[in-house]
Coordinates of all heavy atoms in Angstrom, one line a residue:
M1 N 32.2 -19.5 -21.8 CA 33.3 -18.6 -21.4 C 33.9 -19.3 -20.1 O 33.3 -19.7 -19.2 CB 32.8 -17.2 -21.0 CG 33.9 -16.2 -20.9 SD 33.2 -14.5 -20.9 CE 33.2 -14.2 -19.1
A2 N 35.3 -19.3 -20.1 CA 36.0 -20.0 -19.0 C 35.9 -19.1 -17.7 O 35.9 -17.9 -17.8 CB 37.5 -20.2 -19.3
D3 N 35.8 -19.8 -16.6 CA 35.8 -19.0 -15.3 C 37.1 -18.3 -15.1 O 38.2 -18.9 -15.5 CB 35.6 -20.0 -14.1 CG 34.1 -20.4 -14.1 OD1 33.3 -19.7 -14.6 OD2 33.9 -21.4 -13.4
K4 N 37.1 -17.2 -14.5 CA 38.3 -16.5 -14.1 C 39.1 -17.3 -13.0 O 38.4 -17.8 -12.1 CB 38.0 -15.1 -13.6 CG 37.8 -14.0 -14.6 CD 37.7 -12.7 -13.9 CE 37.8 -11.6 -14.9 NZ 37.8 -10.3 -14.2
T5 N 40.4 -17.2 -13.1 CA 41.2 -17.8 -12.0 C 41.0 -16.9 -10.8 O 41.0 -15.7 -10.8 CB 42.7 -17.8 -12.3 OG1 42.9 -18.5 -13.5 CG2 43.5 -18.3 -11.2
R6 N 40.7 -17.6 -9.6 CA 40.4 -16.8 -8.4 C 41.7 -16.9 -7.5 O 42.2 -18.0 -7.2 CB 39.2 -17.3 -7.7 CG 37.9 -17.1 -8.5 CD 36.7 -17.8 -8.0 NE 36.4 -17.4 -6.7 CZ 35.5 -18.0 -5.9 NH1 34.9 -19.1 -6.3 NH2 35.1 -17.5 -4.7
I7 N 42.1 -15.8 -7.0 CA 43.3 -15.7 -6.2 C 43.0 -14.9 -4.9 O 42.5 -13.8 -5.0 CB 44.5 -15.1 -6.9 CG1 44.9 -15.9 -8.2 CG2 45.7 -14.9 -6.0 CD1 46.0 -15.3 -9.0
T8 N 43.4 -15.4 -3.8 CA 43.3 -14.7 -2.6 C 44.7 -14.4 -2.0 O 45.5 -15.4 -1.9 CB 42.5 -15.4 -1.5 OG1 41.2 -15.6 -2.0 CG2 42.4 -14.7 -0.2
I9 N 45.1 -13.2 -1.8 CA 46.4 -12.8 -1.2 C 46.2 -12.3 0.2 O 45.4 -11.4 0.4 CB 47.0 -11.8 -2.2 CG1 47.3 -12.4 -3.5 CG2 48.3 -11.2 -1.5 CD1 47.8 -11.4 -4.6
I10 N 47.0 -12.8 1.1 CA 46.9 -12.4 2.5 C 48.0 -11.5 2.8 O 49.2 -11.9 2.7 CB 46.9 -13.6 3.5 CG1 45.6 -14.5 3.2 CG2 46.8 -13.1 4.9 CD1 45.6 -15.8 4.0
G11 N 47.7 -10.2 3.1 CA 48.8 -9.2 3.4 C 48.9 -8.2 2.3 O 49.2 -8.5 1.2
G12 N 48.7 -7.0 2.7 CA 48.7 -5.8 1.7 C 50.0 -5.0 1.8 O 49.9 -3.8 1.7
G13 N 51.1 -5.7 2.1 CA 52.4 -5.0 2.1 C 53.0 -4.9 0.7 O 52.3 -5.2 -0.3
V14 N 54.3 -4.6 0.6 CA 54.9 -4.5 -0.7 C 55.0 -5.9 -1.4 O 55.3 -5.9 -2.6 CB 56.3 -3.9 -0.6 CG1 56.2 -2.4 -0.2 CG2 57.3 -4.6 0.3
G15 N 54.9 -6.9 -0.6 CA 54.8 -8.3 -1.3 C 53.4 -8.5 -1.8 O 53.3 -8.9 -3.0
G16 N 52.4 -8.2 -1.0 CA 51.0 -8.5 -1.4 C 50.4 -7.7 -2.4 O 49.8 -8.1 -3.4
Y17 N 50.4 -6.3 -2.2 CA 49.6 -5.5 -3.1 C 50.1 -5.4 -4.6 O 49.3 -5.5 -5.5 CB 49.3 -4.1 -2.5 CG 50.4 -3.1 -2.6 CD1 50.7 -2.4 -3.7 CD2 51.1 -2.7 -1.4 CE1 51.7 -1.4 -3.8 CE2 52.1 -1.7 -1.4 CZ 52.4 -1.1 -2.6 OH 53.3 -0.1 -2.6
P18 N 51.5 -5.5 -4.8 CA 51.9 -5.5 -6.2 C 51.5 -6.9 -6.8 O 51.1 -6.9 -8.0 CB 53.4 -5.4 -6.2 CG 53.7 -4.7 -4.9 CD 52.6 -5.3 -3.9
A19 N 51.5 -8.0 -6.0 CA 51.1 -9.3 -6.5 C 49.6 -9.2 -6.9 O 49.2 -9.8 -8.0 CB 51.3 -10.3 -5.5
A20 N 48.8 -8.6 -6.1 CA 47.4 -8.4 -6.3 C 47.1 -7.6 -7.6 O 46.3 -8.0 -8.5 CB 46.7 -7.8 -5.2
I21 N 47.8 -6.5 -7.8 CA 47.7 -5.7 -9.0 C 48.1 -6.5 -10.2 O 47.4 -6.5 -11.2 CB 48.5 -4.4 -8.8 CG1 47.9 -3.5 -7.7 CG2 48.6 -3.7 -10.2 CD1 48.9 -2.3 -7.4
R22 N 49.2 -7.2 -10.1 CA 49.7 -8.0 -11.3 C 48.7 -9.0 -11.7 O 48.4 -9.2 -12.8 CB 51.1 -8.6 -10.9 CG 51.7 -9.4 -11.9 CD 52.5 -8.6 -12.9 NE 53.2 -9.5 -13.8 CZ 53.2 -9.4 -15.1 NH1 52.5 -8.4 -15.7 NH2 53.9 -10.2 -15.9
A23 N 48.2 -9.8 -10.6 CA 47.3 -10.9 -10.9 C 46.0 -10.3 -11.6 O 45.4 -10.9 -12.5 CB 47.0 -11.6 -9.6
A24 N 45.5 -9.2 -11.0 CA 44.3 -8.6 -11.6 C 44.5 -8.1 -13.0 O 43.6 -8.3 -13.9 CB 43.9 -7.4 -10.7
R25 N 45.7 -7.6 -13.3 CA 46.0 -7.1 -14.7 C 46.1 -8.3 -15.6 O 45.9 -8.2 -16.8 CB 47.3 -6.3 -14.7 CG 47.1 -4.9 -14.2 CD 48.3 -4.1 -14.4 NE 48.0 -2.7 -13.9 CZ 48.9 -1.8 -13.5 NH1 50.2 -2.2 -13.5 NH2 48.6 -0.6 -13.1
M26 N 46.5 -9.5 -15.1 CA 46.5 -10.7 -15.9 C 45.2 -11.4 -16.0 O 45.1 -12.4 -16.7 CB 47.6 -11.7 -15.3 CG 49.0 -11.2 -15.4 SD 50.2 -12.2 -14.6 CE 50.4 -13.5 -15.8
G27 N 44.2 -10.8 -15.4 CA 42.8 -11.3 -15.6 C 42.2 -12.1 -14.5 O 41.1 -12.6 -14.7
A28 N 43.0 -12.2 -13.4 CA 42.4 -13.0 -12.3 C 41.4 -12.3 -11.5 O 41.4 -11.0 -11.5 CB 43.6 -13.5 -11.4
D29 N 40.6 -13.0 -10.8 CA 39.6 -12.4 -9.9 C 40.3 -12.4 -8.5 O 40.5 -13.5 -7.9 CB 38.4 -13.3 -9.9 CG 37.3 -12.7 -9.0 OD1 37.5 -11.7 -8.3 OD2 36.2 -13.3 -8.9
V30 N 40.8 -11.3 -8.1 CA 41.7 -11.2 -6.9 C 41.0 -10.6 -5.7 O 40.3 -9.6 -5.7 CB 42.9 -10.3 -7.2 CG1 43.9 -10.3 -6.0 CG2 43.6 -10.8 -8.5
T31 N 41.2 -11.3 -4.5 CA 40.8 -10.8 -3.2 C 42.1 -10.5 -2.4 O 42.9 -11.5 -2.3 CB 39.9 -11.8 -2.5 OG1 38.8 -12.1 -3.3 CG2 39.5 -11.2 -1.2
L32 N 42.2 -9.3 -1.9 CA 43.4 -9.0 -1.1 C 42.9 -8.8 0.4 O 42.0 -8.0 0.6 CB 44.1 -7.7 -1.6 CG 45.2 -7.2 -0.7 CD1 46.4 -8.2 -0.8 CD2 45.7 -5.8 -1.2
I33 N 43.4 -9.6 1.3 CA 43.0 -9.4 2.7 C 44.1 -8.8 3.5 O 45.3 -9.3 3.5 CB 42.7 -10.8 3.3 CG1 41.6 -11.5 2.5 CG2 42.3 -10.7 4.8 CD1 41.3 -12.9 2.9
E34 N 43.8 -7.7 4.1 CA 44.8 -7.0 5.0 C 44.2 -6.7 6.3 O 43.1 -6.2 6.4 CB 45.2 -5.6 4.3 CG 46.0 -4.7 5.2 CD 47.2 -5.3 5.8 OE1 48.0 -5.9 5.1 OE2 47.3 -5.3 7.0
K35 N 44.9 -7.2 7.4 CA 44.3 -7.1 8.7 C 44.5 -5.7 9.4 O 43.9 -5.4 10.4 CB 44.8 -8.2 9.6 CG 46.3 -8.0 10.0 CD 46.7 -9.1 11.0 CE 48.1 -8.9 11.4 NZ 48.6 -9.9 12.4
D36 N 45.4 -4.9 8.9 CA 45.7 -3.7 9.5 C 45.7 -2.5 8.6 O 44.7 -2.0 8.2 CB 47.1 -3.8 10.2 CG 47.4 -2.7 11.2 OD1 46.6 -1.8 11.3 OD2 48.5 -2.7 11.9
A37 N 46.9 -2.1 8.1 CA 47.0 -0.9 7.2 C 47.5 -1.3 5.8 O 48.6 -1.9 5.8 CB 47.9 0.1 7.8
L38 N 46.8 -1.0 4.8 CA 47.3 -1.3 3.4 C 48.6 -0.6 3.2 O 48.8 0.6 3.6 CB 46.2 -0.8 2.4 CG 46.3 -1.3 1.0 CD1 46.2 -2.9 1.0 CD2 45.3 -0.7 0.1
G39 N 49.5 -1.3 2.6 CA 50.9 -0.7 2.4 C 51.9 -1.4 3.3 O 53.1 -1.4 3.1
G40 N 51.4 -2.1 4.4 CA 52.3 -2.9 5.3 C 53.3 -2.1 6.0 O 53.2 -0.9 6.2
T41 N 54.4 -2.8 6.4 CA 55.5 -2.2 7.2 C 56.2 -1.1 6.4 O 56.4 0.0 7.0 CB 56.5 -3.3 7.5 OG1 55.8 -4.4 8.1 CG2 57.6 -2.8 8.4
C42 N 56.5 -1.3 5.2 CA 57.3 -0.3 4.4 C 56.6 1.1 4.4 O 57.2 2.1 4.7 CB 57.5 -0.8 3.0 SG 58.7 0.2 2.1
L43 N 55.3 1.1 4.0 CA 54.7 2.3 3.8 C 54.3 3.0 5.1 O 54.4 4.2 5.3 CB 53.4 2.1 3.0 CG 52.6 3.4 2.6 CD1 53.4 4.2 1.6 CD2 51.3 3.0 2.0
N44 N 53.9 2.2 6.1 CA 53.3 2.8 7.4 C 54.3 2.9 8.5 O 54.1 3.8 9.4 CB 52.1 1.9 7.8 CG 51.0 1.9 6.7 OD1 50.4 3.0 6.5 ND2 50.8 0.8 6.1
W45 N 55.3 2.0 8.6 CA 56.2 2.0 9.8 C 57.7 1.9 9.4 O 58.5 2.3 10.2 CB 55.9 0.8 10.7 CG 54.5 0.9 11.2 CD1 54.0 1.7 12.2 CD2 53.3 0.2 10.7 NE1 52.6 1.5 12.3 CE2 52.2 0.6 11.4 CE3 53.2 -0.8 9.7 CZ2 50.9 0.0 11.2 CZ3 51.9 -1.3 9.5 CH2 50.8 -0.9 10.2
G46 N 58.0 1.4 8.3 CA 59.4 1.1 7.9 C 60.0 2.1 7.0 O 60.4 3.2 7.4
C47 N 60.2 1.8 5.7 CA 61.0 2.6 4.8 C 60.6 4.0 4.7 O 61.4 4.9 4.9 CB 60.8 2.0 3.4 SG 60.6 0.2 3.2
I48 N 59.3 4.3 4.5 CA 58.9 5.7 4.3 C 59.0 6.6 5.5 O 59.6 7.6 5.5 CB 57.5 5.8 3.7 CG1 57.4 4.9 2.4 CG2 57.0 7.2 3.4 CD1 58.3 5.2 1.3
P49 N 58.4 6.1 6.7 CA 58.6 7.0 7.9 C 60.0 7.2 8.3 O 60.4 8.3 8.8 CB 57.8 6.2 9.0 CG 56.8 5.4 8.2 CD 57.5 5.0 6.9
T50 N 60.8 6.1 8.2 CA 62.2 6.3 8.6 C 63.0 7.3 7.7 O 63.8 8.1 8.1 CB 63.0 4.9 8.7 OG1 62.9 4.3 7.4 CG2 62.5 4.1 9.7
K51 N 62.6 7.3 6.4 CA 63.3 8.2 5.5 C 62.8 9.6 5.8 O 63.6 10.6 5.7 CB 62.9 7.9 4.0 CG 63.4 6.6 3.5 CD 64.8 6.3 3.7 CE 65.2 4.8 3.4 NZ 64.6 3.9 4.3
S52 N 61.6 9.8 6.2 CA 61.1 11.1 6.6 C 61.8 11.6 7.8 O 62.3 12.8 7.9 CB 59.6 11.0 6.9 OG 59.1 12.2 7.3
L53 N 62.0 10.7 8.9 CA 62.7 11.1 10.1 C 64.2 11.4 9.7 O 64.8 12.4 10.3 CB 62.7 10.0 11.1 CG 61.4 9.8 11.8 CD1 61.4 8.5 12.7 CD2 61.1 11.0 12.7
L54 N 64.8 10.7 8.8 CA 66.2 10.9 8.4 C 66.3 12.3 7.8 O 67.3 13.0 8.0 CB 66.6 9.8 7.4 CG 68.1 9.5 7.2 CD1 68.8 9.2 8.5 CD2 68.3 8.4 6.2
Q55 N 65.4 12.6 6.9 CA 65.4 13.9 6.3 C 65.3 15.0 7.3 O 66.0 16.1 7.2 CB 64.2 14.0 5.2 CG 64.2 15.3 4.4 CD 65.4 15.5 3.5 OE1 66.1 14.5 3.2 NE2 65.7 16.7 3.2
S56 N 64.3 14.8 8.3 CA 64.2 15.8 9.3 C 65.5 16.0 10.1 O 65.9 17.1 10.4 CB 63.1 15.4 10.3 OG 61.8 15.4 9.6
A57 N 66.1 14.9 10.4 CA 67.4 14.9 11.2 C 68.4 15.7 10.4 O 69.2 16.5 10.9 CB 67.9 13.5 11.5
G58 N 68.4 15.5 9.0 CA 69.4 16.2 8.2 C 69.1 17.7 8.2 O 70.1 18.5 8.2
V59 N 67.9 18.1 8.2 CA 67.5 19.5 8.3 C 68.0 20.1 9.6 O 68.6 21.2 9.6 CB 66.0 19.7 8.1 CG1 65.6 21.2 8.4 CG2 65.6 19.3 6.7
I60 N 67.8 19.4 10.7 CA 68.2 19.9 12.0 C 69.7 20.1 12.0 O 70.2 21.1 12.5 CB 67.7 18.9 13.1 CG1 66.2 18.9 13.2 CG2 68.4 19.3 14.4 CD1 65.6 17.8 14.0
Q61 N 70.4 19.1 11.5 CA 71.9 19.2 11.4 C 72.3 20.4 10.6 O 73.3 21.1 11.0 CB 72.5 17.9 10.9 CG 73.9 17.7 11.1 CD 74.3 17.6 12.6 OE1 73.8 16.8 13.3 NE2 75.2 18.5 13.1
T62 N 71.7 20.6 9.5 CA 72.0 21.8 8.7 C 71.8 23.1 9.5 O 72.6 24.0 9.4 CB 71.2 21.8 7.4 OG1 71.4 20.6 6.7 CG2 71.5 23.0 6.5
L63 N 70.7 23.1 10.2 CA 70.4 24.3 11.0 C 71.5 24.5 12.1 O 72.0 25.6 12.3 CB 69.0 24.2 11.7 CG 67.8 24.3 10.8 CD1 66.6 23.9 11.6 CD2 67.7 25.7 10.3
K64 N 71.9 23.4 12.7 CA 73.0 23.5 13.7 C 74.3 23.9 13.2 O 75.1 24.6 13.8 CB 73.1 22.1 14.4 CG 72.0 21.7 15.4 CD 72.3 20.4 16.1 CE 71.3 20.2 17.2 NZ 71.5 18.8 17.8
D65 N 74.5 23.5 11.9 CA 75.8 23.8 11.3 C 75.7 25.1 10.4 O 76.7 25.4 9.7 CB 76.3 22.7 10.4 CG 76.5 21.4 11.1 OD1 76.8 21.5 12.4 OD2 76.5 20.3 10.5
S66 N 74.6 25.8 10.5 CA 74.4 26.9 9.6 C 75.5 28.0 9.6 O 75.7 28.6 8.5 CB 73.0 27.6 9.8 OG 73.0 28.2 11.1
E67 N 76.1 28.2 10.7 CA 77.1 29.3 10.8 C 78.3 29.0 9.9 O 79.0 29.8 9.4 CB 77.6 29.5 12.2 CG 76.5 30.2 13.0 CD 76.9 30.9 14.3 OE1 78.1 31.2 14.4 OE2 76.1 31.0 15.2
V68 N 78.5 27.7 9.6 CA 79.6 27.3 8.7 C 79.3 27.9 7.3 O 80.3 28.2 6.6 CB 79.7 25.7 8.6 CG1 80.6 25.3 7.5 CG2 80.1 25.1 9.9
F69 N 78.1 28.1 7.0 CA 77.7 28.6 5.7 C 77.4 30.1 5.8 O 76.9 30.7 4.8 CB 76.4 27.9 5.2 CG 76.6 26.4 5.0 CD1 76.1 25.5 6.0 CD2 77.3 25.9 3.9 CE1 76.3 24.2 5.9 CE2 77.5 24.5 3.8 CZ 77.0 23.6 4.8
G70 N 77.8 30.7 6.9 CA 77.6 32.2 7.1 C 76.1 32.5 7.4 O 75.7 33.7 7.2
V71 N 75.4 31.6 7.9 CA 74.0 31.9 8.3 C 73.8 31.7 9.8 O 74.0 30.6 10.3 CB 73.0 31.0 7.5 CG1 71.5 31.3 7.9 CG2 73.2 31.2 6.0
K72 N 73.4 32.7 10.5 CA 73.1 32.5 11.9 C 71.6 32.2 12.0 O 70.7 32.9 11.6 CB 73.4 33.8 12.7 CG 74.9 34.1 12.8 CD 75.2 35.2 13.7 CE 76.7 35.3 13.8 NZ 77.1 36.4 14.7
C73 N 71.3 31.0 12.6 CA 69.9 30.6 12.7 C 69.7 30.1 14.1 O 70.2 29.1 14.6 CB 69.8 29.4 11.7 SG 68.1 28.7 11.7
K74 N 68.9 31.0 14.8 CA 68.6 30.7 16.2 C 67.1 30.6 16.4 O 66.3 31.2 15.6 CB 69.2 31.7 17.1 CG 70.7 31.7 17.2 CD 71.2 32.7 18.1 CE 72.7 32.6 18.1 NZ 73.4 33.9 18.5
G75 N 66.7 29.8 17.4 CA 65.3 29.9 17.8 C 64.4 28.8 17.1 O 63.2 28.9 17.2
Y76 N 65.0 27.9 16.4 CA 64.1 26.9 15.7 C 63.6 25.9 16.7 O 64.2 25.7 17.8 CB 64.9 26.2 14.6 CG 66.1 25.4 15.0 CD1 65.9 24.0 15.4 CD2 67.3 25.9 15.0 CE1 67.0 23.3 15.8 CE2 68.4 25.2 15.4 CZ 68.2 23.9 15.8 OH 69.3 23.1 16.2
E77 N 62.5 25.2 16.4 CA 62.0 24.2 17.3 C 61.8 22.9 16.6 O 61.5 23.0 15.4 CB 60.6 24.7 17.9 CG 60.7 25.8 18.9 CD 59.3 26.2 19.4 OE1 58.4 25.3 19.5 OE2 59.1 27.4 19.6
V78 N 61.9 21.8 17.2 CA 61.6 20.5 16.6 C 60.2 20.1 17.1 O 59.9 20.1 18.3 CB 62.6 19.5 17.0 CG1 62.3 18.1 16.5 CG2 64.0 19.9 16.5
D79 N 59.3 19.8 16.2 CA 57.9 19.4 16.6 C 57.5 18.3 15.6 O 57.2 18.6 14.5 CB 57.0 20.6 16.5 CG 55.6 20.2 16.9 OD1 55.3 19.1 17.2 OD2 54.7 21.1 16.8
F80 N 57.5 17.1 16.0 CA 57.1 16.0 15.2 C 55.6 15.7 15.3 O 55.1 14.6 14.9 CB 57.9 14.8 15.5 CG 59.3 14.8 15.0 CD1 60.4 14.6 15.9 CD2 59.6 15.1 13.7 CE1 61.7 14.7 15.5 CE2 60.9 15.2 13.2 CZ 62.0 15.0 14.1
G81 N 54.8 16.6 15.8 CA 53.4 16.4 15.9 C 52.8 16.4 14.5 O 53.4 16.8 13.5
P82 N 51.5 16.1 14.5 CA 50.8 16.0 13.2 C 50.8 17.4 12.5 O 50.6 18.4 13.2 CB 49.4 15.5 13.5 CG 49.2 15.7 15.0 CD 50.6 15.7 15.6
S83 N 51.0 17.5 11.2 CA 51.0 18.8 10.6 C 49.8 18.9 9.6 O 49.2 18.0 9.3 CB 52.3 19.0 9.8 OG 52.5 18.0 8.9
Ligands
FAD1 C1 62.3 0.4 10.2 C2 62.3 -0.3 8.9 C3 62.9 0.3 7.8 C4 62.9 -0.3 6.5 N1 63.5 0.3 5.5 C5 63.5 -0.3 4.3 C6 64.1 0.4 3.1 O1 64.6 1.5 3.2 N2 64.2 -0.3 2.0 C7 63.6 -1.6 1.8 O2 63.7 -2.1 0.8 N3 63.1 -2.2 2.9 C8 63.0 -1.6 4.1 N4 62.4 -2.2 5.2 C9 61.9 -3.6 5.0 C10 60.5 -3.5 4.3 O3 59.7 -2.8 5.2 C11 60.1 -5.0 4.2 O4 61.0 -5.7 3.4 C12 58.7 -5.1 3.6 O5 57.8 -4.3 4.3 C13 58.3 -6.5 3.5 O6 57.1 -6.5 2.8 P1 56.1 -7.7 3.0 O7 54.9 -7.4 2.1 O8 56.7 -9.0 2.8 O9 55.6 -7.6 4.5 P2 54.9 -6.4 5.3 O10 55.2 -5.1 4.7 O11 55.1 -6.7 6.7 O12 53.4 -6.7 4.9 C14 52.7 -7.8 5.5 C15 51.2 -7.4 5.6 O13 50.5 -8.5 6.0 C16 49.5 -8.2 6.9 N5 49.1 -9.4 7.6 C17 49.9 -10.2 8.3 N6 49.2 -11.3 8.7 C18 48.0 -11.2 8.2 C19 46.8 -11.9 8.3 N7 46.8 -13.1 9.0 N8 45.7 -11.5 7.7 C20 45.7 -10.3 7.0 N9 46.8 -9.5 6.9 C21 47.9 -10.0 7.5 C22 50.2 -7.2 7.8 O14 49.3 -6.4 8.5 C23 51.0 -6.4 6.8 O15 50.3 -5.2 6.3 C24 62.4 -1.6 6.4 C25 61.8 -2.2 7.5 C26 61.7 -1.6 8.7 C27 61.1 -2.3 9.9

């Protein structure tokens, strides 16, 4: 039986982890090395967190503009602490 192709991928961001999954599905023996957080910039600091903040900002703006829609909304608080 032929040896499996061995692949080492450095970095578990959106570049690295899909490559690791793809290579494993193609039958390779894959090692993924990640020095910090799996998911990389996009999942942990970039795309996803910024979209979450953007959505929160949109909700705040809707609350501020609520009287335009005939809704009086007072007394809300912004709290970005852990939920
Ligand atoms: C604020 C912000 C918002 C963004 N929004 C979007 C968006 O909406 N849409 C979009 O398409 N893109 C967005 N991006 C860009 C997106 O995050 C990057 O294009 C993407 O993360 C690049 O992926 P990558 O795998 O090449 O690198 P990274 O995600 O940076 O992953 C590299 C990984 O390698 C690891 N690593 C580095 N050196 C080593 C080492 N020596 N040993 C082991 N591990 C190592 C790192 O810890 C990291 O986890 C945004 C970026 C930022 C900063």
Side-chain angles (χ1 to χ4, degrees):
M1 197 168 95
D3 285 341
K4 276 188 168 186
T5 301
R6 294 169 66 190
I7 298 175
T8 300
I9 295 171
I10 300 173
V14 292
Y17 78 77
I21 292 169
R22 177 87 172 130
R25 285 188 176 155
M26 291 175 79
D29 182 357
V30 182
T31 302
L32 178 68
I33 300 172
E34 169 52 55
K35 70 174 181 179
D36 192 358
L38 198 60
T41 304
C42 188
L43 186 67
N44 298 293
W45 301 281
C47 327
I48 306 301
T50 55
K51 301 304 172 294
S52 175
L53 285 172
L54 200 58
Q55 183 66 21
S56 297
V59 170
I60 293 165
Q61 194 63 55
T62 301
L63 288 169
K64 284 184 172 174
D65 296 340
S66 66
E67 289 196 28
V68 170
F69 302 100
V71 177
K72 291 188 177 179
C73 183
K74 289 181 180 157
Y76 65 86
E77 289 179 34
V78 177
D79 179 1
F80 288 124
S83 56

